């Protein structure tokens, strides 16, 4: 949820409506006065940005794992 605050305003709003308020794409479009395609694009871009952030965070937090080698 904290990462949503780092998204552009409109993208963050669309993401919150979809995931926290359980609104459909059509409902979000109607609420925001946005074209349906714009809502879908905002959701896709928002998910891509969040995924990238989570991957960066995971890489920073993940311990170095050694793998066993065979002779």
């Amino acid at each position: 949820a904290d990462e949503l605050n780092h998204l552009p305003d409109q993208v963050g709003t669309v993401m919150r409506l979809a995931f926290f308020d359980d609104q459909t794409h059509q409902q979000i479009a109607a609420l925001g006065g946005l074209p349906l395609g714009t809502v879908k694009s905002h959701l896709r871009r928002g998910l891509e940005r969040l995924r990238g952030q989570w991957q960066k965070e995971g890489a920073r937090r993940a311990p170095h794992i050694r793998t066993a080698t065979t002779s």
Side-chain angles (χ1 to χ4, degrees), residues 27-48:
Q27 290 169 326
I28 295 167
L31 286 170
L34 300 168
L36 182 59
T38 300
V39 169
K40 291 180 179 186
S41 293
H42 284 338
L43 286 168
R44 181 180 42 77
R45 276 190 233 104
L47 287 171
E48 287 172 356

Side-chain angles (χ1 to χ4, degrees), residues 1-17:
D2 291 334
E3 292 298 329
L4 289 174
N5 295 328
H6 300 289
L7 296 174
D9 289 341
Q10 199 171 51
V11 175
T13 298
V14 167
M15 297 285 289
R16 285 181 191 88
L17 287 169

Side-chain angles (χ1 to χ4, degrees), residues 15-30:
M15 297 285 289
R16 285 181 191 88
L17 287 169
F19 294 103
F20 295 122
D21 295 344
D22 202 28
Q23 299 290 312
T24 66
H25 295 159
Q26 293 84 1
Q27 290 169 326
I28 295 167

